[in-house]
Amino acid sequence: MKRKWKRFSARLLLAVLLAVLGSPGISAQELPLPAVPDTLVRPQERAAYIMSHFWDAFDFSDTLRSCSRPFMEQQLVNFLSLLPHAVSDAAACAFDSLYARASAAPCALTLTDDLLRIYLDGEGSPVRSEAGYAMALRAHLRYLCAQGFDTTTVSSRLREVTGNAVGTQAPDFAFRTADGALQRLHGLQAPRLLLFFFSADCDHCRQQLEALRASEPLGRAVSEGALQVLAVCLNDEAELQQQARDMLPPSWMAAFPLPRFFENPGYSFRHLPLVLLLDEAKRVVGRNPAITDIACMLP
C-alpha cells in the first residue's frame, strides 16, 4: 500500500523562499516563520536561522496540536524542507532544539521520532535524506543520554543508517558468478567498482537497474575498463536468480553470495537497491550516489 506523503504547501514554500532570499513571508495556515535578522544575507545563513527558530512560536505542551498526527506531520515536512538549504552545524542544532522542545509531552516526543523516521528514511519521501536522518538520530541520542534513558534502540538504528559510509572499506565476501565460478569481492581488479545489491522481485531495484543501464557515461566507462559493475542478487530462490541473470546487461558481472554471507553480511540492507561505488582498494567513495554523479567520481 503506497503512502500518501504530506508535502509542504505552496503558500509556505513561497514564504520560505522569500524568507531565505531576504523578503518577509508567512503562511497564515502554518506555524509563523521567524523574522530573519537583516544582518544575515546569505541564503544558507537565512535558511539555518529559520530552521533553528522554526519551533519558537509553538508550545509542545499544547497536546491538542503537538500530539495530533496530521498537524505535526505537516509542520515537520515544512521543517525538513529547509534541511537541504541550511549548513549542517545549524541543522544539527535545530534537531537538538526540536527534541528538547518535544520532550514537553511524551506523546509529542514519540510522534516526532516516528515522523522523522518515516519522512527522512521512508521510500518515496519527498524530503528523504540519509544524512538528515543520521543527524536526527544523533540529536535523539544526545537527548536520551542527557536524560539518562536507554539508548539501545536509537544507537542500533544509527549504526544501520551510517553503515558502509564513504571512506570505509567494503567488507569482503565470496560469491558465485552466473557461470558458477567462485570469486571474492576483494579479488576483483578495477579502477572503480560499482556494487549493486538488489532483489529480482523488487520494483525499485528494477527501476534503478534500468536507469543505470540507460546511462551513456556509465556504459562508456564500463566498455573502456574504467568501471566494473558487480550486481549482487540477494535472492536464494532458483527462479528469482534466473530472473536476475536475465535482467543484467552482459557487460555486468552477476554475483550470487554464498549462504554464509547472509549470517553477517557487513552491509546495511535497510533499503534496496544498495549502491556503493568503490575505489581500487575497495573503499567506499560513493553511497547511493546519483547516477549523474557517478561519472564525476571515476578516475
Side-chain angles (χ1 to χ4, degrees), residues 199-201 233 235-245 256:
S199 174
D201 54 355
C233 176
N235 302 106
D236 57 4
E237 302 93 336
E239 182 180 352
L240 289 175
Q241 289 188 354
Q242 185 56 53
Q243 287 184 28
R245 292 183 184 92
F256 302 92

Side-chain angles (χ1 to χ4, degrees), residues 6-13 15-16 26-33 54 57-58 65 70-79:
K6 289 265 187 188
R7 297 181 182 272
F8 86 151
S9 67
R11 292 187 66 187
L12 186 73
L13 173 58
V16 169
I26 292 177
S27 167
Q29 297 177 355
E30 311 287 347
L31 292 178
L33 294 175
F54 186 89
F58 183 58
R65 294 201 297 171
F71 177 82
M72 285 301 297
E73 189 170 6
Q74 186 62 68
Q75 307 317 311
L76 278 167
V77 172
N78 297 343
F79 171 73

